[in-house]
Amino acid sequence: MPRKENNSRYSTLMKLFKIGKGDESSILKLQIEDLETITEDIDVKNIILLRKYVKEKNTLQYLKDEKEPAKKEERRNNNA
């Protein structure tokens, strides 16, 4: 018996149902922020983060090194 191929469209729809966005009305109103929990795509996650900073009128903060918080925490631990 042939193995059933992975249907990526079906998989995406099931992910939307999992986050409560699978019905037609919710799909039509879907925002990019709704996709944060179902994607590992770094570009999508960066766009979501950029939108957050733009809404806060702090776009320059977005451009800072993404590892900066980790570096600050590491310095804090070394000084303790």
Side-chain angles (χ1 to χ4, degrees):
M1 188 165 158
R3 186 175 161 198
K4 186 177 179 180
E5 288 185 37
N6 184 18
N7 184 332
S8 66
R9 292 180 182 182
Y10 176 79
S11 176
T12 299
L13 182 59
M14 291 302 102
K15 288 178 182 180
L16 289 173
F17 272 113
K18 189 174 180 179
I19 64 168
K21 303 286 183 181
D23 61 276
E24 290 177 354
S25 175
S26 295
I27 290 170
L28 290 173
K29 296 176 186 174
L30 202 59
Q31 300 271 325
I32 193 168
E33 289 81 3
D34 298 328
L35 305 178
E36 185 173 24
T37 59
I38 68 168
T39 186
E40 295 298 319
D41 187 292
I42 193 67
D43 291 324
V44 171
K45 291 188 177 228
N46 282 338
I47 291 168
I48 292 168
L49 184 61
L50 176 58
R51 285 172 51 99
K52 174 187 166 206
Y53 282 115
V54 168
K55 286 177 185 176
E56 295 173 356
K57 298 185 180 354
N58 196 3
T59 308
L60 291 177
Q61 185 68 32
Y62 169 80
L63 297 174
K64 286 190 172 184
D65 185 7
E66 63 190 26
K67 295 177 179 65
E68 188 65 26
K71 290 178 184 176
K72 285 181 182 176
E73 185 64 32
E74 184 178 310
R75 277 186 245 136
R76 206 174 296 147
N77 289 338
N78 288 340
N79 291 335

